[in-house]
Amino acid sequence: MLLILLASAACFHGVSAGYGQRSTLARQQFTKPLQGTLAEHCKDYETQFEIVFTVPGDAAVLNCTLASPDVFDLHSTPYNISWYDCKAGRELSEDLGQFQVRGTMLWFLNSTLEDAGHYQCILRTPNGCFKQKSVLRVDTVKAGSCGRPDTSRQMLTTQTNSFLVCPLLEYISQADSYSIQWYKDCERLLEGDKFSHVGGHRLLVRHVVVSDSGLYTCRVTFNLTGTIGYAAETIECDIKENGVKNKKTSSEQQFCGQKRVVNEREQWSLRPIVYQPVNEMVKAEYGGHFNKTCRVFVPSKGNLSVDIYWASEFEFISTNLSDRVHQLHLSEENVDDGVLLEVLLNFTNVKEEDFNQNYTCMIFSDKGVVTSDFILQPSDRNGIIHPVLLFVSLAVTFLISVTAYKIFKIDIVLWCRRSFPYLYTRTGSDGKVYDAYVVYPRMCWNGFHGSAETFVIHTLPQVLEKKCGYKLFIYCRDSLPGEAVVDSVQENISKSRRLILLYTGSMFSELASTLRFEQEIGMHTALVEGTVQVILVELEEVTDYSLFPQSVLHLKRKQGAIQWWKAANKATGHSQLCPSSRFWKQVQYQMPVKSSHASSLQ
Ligand SMILES: *[C@@H]1O[C@H](CO)[C@@H](O)[C@H](O)[C@H]1NC(C)=O
Ligand SMILES: *[C@@H]1O[C@H](CO)[C@@H](O)[C@H](O)[C@H]1NC(C)=O
Ligand SMILES: *[C@@H]1O[C@H](CO)[C@@H](O)[C@H](O)[C@H]1NC(C)=O
Ligand SMILES: *[C@@H]1O[C@H](CO)[C@@H](O)[C@H](O)[C@H]1NC(C)=O
Ligand SMILES: *[C@@H]1O[C@H](CO)[C@@H](O)[C@H](O)[C@H]1NC(C)=O
Ligand SMILES: *[C@@H]1O[C@H](CO)[C@@H](O)[C@H](O)[C@H]1NC(C)=O
C-alpha cells in the first residue's frame, strides 16, 4: 500500500500537461496519504525525452534508463525496478498479463488506446532511490494506411547500394526470437536483385534510383517468453542524387605498383577490390588480443559513396570501442582514381566462441556489394586444448620416467657411481676395514657343501675382491686361528659396512653354533643398532621358510633377496663371473661405494 501511495504521489508531479483531467481525478482519490512521499526521497530524473509510439494491437517497450552508470554504480550495487501507472495510480502487476517486466524494460504486448500515458519507473538501491517517467503514445492507424502514423527519416544516395535500418532495436535485441518483414507502402518487399536483408535488421537497396523514395515499413514479429508480439516502424526514405556523371575520358590508374589505363566507363564497372581478408583461415591465440584489417581499394572519382562493415555470421560487429569485439575505421586515403580504406576488426580478448566463425568484411558501394571473409581458428590447438595436452604429456613422461627408473635403477645408480665418484662420500673415513662380512653355510674347510660353498669360497671373492675391488671378511679364511669366536665375530662385523647373508633352505635348521652366533649378531647390528646393512643372497630355491628366523624373514620382505640360484642356473661357463650380469649388478648396487683404499688396489 505504501508503495502505491509513493508511486501515485511521485507521479502527480509534472503529469498534468496532457492528462490533466485524469490526474485531477487521481489526485482527488489520493489527496490524503501524501505524507508517504516525504518518507522516501527519490531523486527525480524527470520525464524521458523520447516518447514511445505504438498503435493498438502492436507492442511497446519502455526502458528505465536509470539503470545506467551515470546514475549509480551499476555493477557493485544491487537494485530493484518497479513500474507505476501514473494514470491509475498503482504499481503495475504482471499478473494482469498485459505487461511483462524484463530487466530494465516494461513490455506492453498488445497495446490498447487506454495504455497511453505516463509510466514511472522507480529504481531502488540499498541506500538510494531514483525515479523517472516515460511517455507512451498510442495512435490509431488511419484506415487504408499500411504504415505507422509516426515516421522517422533516412536517406539513400542514387547510384549506390545503400541500406535502410529498421529502428526497432529494442524488440530485435531483447526478444527470444524475431523475424522482420519489409514493406514499401503496402507492398511486401521480397529478397532479390533489388533488395536483400543484411545483418538482421537492415534492408539493402541496390542501385538506388530516385523512384526508390517513399515510405518503407519494417515489421517485427517476435516471441517473448512464448507470447508473440508485433511492432512496426515506418521510415520516410529520401533520395539524394549522386553528383557524379559519367564522362568518356580515359585516365591512368595506379595502385599497388600496377599501372593500368582504364576508361571512365570501364572504371565505373570496377568494383571495390579487397586486399584483406582473402577468404582465409587465420589463427589466433585463445585469451590474447587479435585484430584483422579490412583493406579495400574503391575506384572512384568525385564523391565517394561506400560503407564498409565487419559482420559475423549473425550480426554487424559493434562500433562501440568498449565492446570486447569491435570495429573501427582506421584510415581513408585518397590515391589516384580511388580511395584506400581500412576498417579494423579488433578482439580485445579472444574467446572460445569466436573460433570457427566466419567474419565478413562487407563493402557497400555504388558499384555493388563486395564481401570477403576469414575464419578464426585457434593457433596450434594452444589455449583450450593445450593445458590438457600438457598435463597428459607430463603425466606420461612421469610414468615413463618412473617405470624406466624402476627397470634401470640399478644401472643408473652404478653408472652414476662410476661416472661421478666425487659425488659420493668416500667410505674410507668411517673407520671400517671391510666392505662386507660374509655369513654363509659352512663347515669350515672340512667338507664342501656343494655348489653353495664353491660360490662362497671361489666365486664371491673372485668377483667382488679381484674384479670389483671390494674387501670381504670371510670367516675361516680371514679369522685368525685360536682367536675367540665371539670376539672375532663381533669385532669383524663392527668393522664391516655390509653383512652378506648367504642362505640355503636348510641352513637355519642345522645351524652350527658359530654360524648361528654370526647370524644373530649380524641381525642385531643391522636391525637394532642400524650400523650395518644386510644383503640377502639366496643360494638355492627355498620353498619352506618355516624355520627361518623372524629377523631374516622381515628383511626379506622389506628389501628382497638376490637370487643366486636363478643366475647360476642361467649362467654358463665364465659368464657367471662377469660383474655386468644382473646378479652381480644387484650385489654391487647393495654394496657400499668402493672405498678409496679398495679402489687403489685395483
Ligand atoms: C535501456 O536502458 C539502459 C540504461 O540506460 C541501457 O543500457 C540499455 O541499452 C537500454 N536498452 C535498450 C534496448 O535500449
Ligand atoms: C529488491 O526486492 C527484493 C524483494 O522484493 C528485496 O528483498 C530486496 O531487498 C530489494 N533490493 C533492493 C536493493 O531494494
Ligand atoms: C516462442 O518461444 C518459445 C521458447 O522460447 C517456444 O517454446 C515457442 O514455441 C515459441 N512460440 C512460437 C509461436 O513460435
Ligand atoms: C594488431 O595486432 C598486431 C599484433 O598483435 C599489433 O602489432 C598491432 O598494433 C595491432 N593493430 C592495431 C591497430 O591495434
Ligand atoms: C584493439 O584492442 C587492443 C586490446 O584491448 C587495444 O590495446 C587496442 O588499442 C585496440 N586497437 C584499436 C585500434 O583500438
Ligand atoms: C563465410 O561467409 C561467406 C559469406 O557469407 C560465405 O561465402 C562462405 O561460404 C562462408 N564460409 C564458411 C566456411 O561458412
Side-chain angles (χ1 to χ4, degrees), residues 313 358-360 371 373 375:
E313 276 156 79
N358 206 341
Y359 295 91
T360 308
T371 64
D373 51 80
I375 291 172

Side-chain angles (χ1 to χ4, degrees), residues 109-122:
L109 288 167
N110 185 0
S111 318
T112 61
L113 288 173
E114 286 72 47
D115 289 333
H118 285 62
Y119 293 86
Q120 175 124 39
C121 75
I122 296 192

Side-chain angles (χ1 to χ4, degrees), residues 326-356:
H326 59 257
Q327 61 176 318
L328 77 160
H329 280 258
L330 278 188
S331 67
E332 187 171 326
E333 186 192 342
N334 286 303
V335 292
D336 287 346
D337 297 318
V339 180
L340 262 174
L341 293 132
E342 288 186 332
V343 178
L344 183 80
L345 172 64
N346 201 12
F347 293 74
T348 56
N349 175 16
V350 177
K351 290 198 172 166
E352 202 176 338
E353 70 214 39
D354 302 331
F355 291 127
N356 302 312

Side-chain angles (χ1 to χ4, degrees), residues 176-177 222-228:
D176 300 325
S177 61
F222 62 87
N223 182 345
L224 189 78
T225 51
T227 310
I228 302 298

Side-chain angles (χ1 to χ4, degrees), residues 306-317:
V306 64
D307 278 308
I308 304 182
Y309 290 96
W310 276 104
S312 69
E313 276 156 79
F314 310 110
E315 58 191 356
F316 277 79
I317 303 289

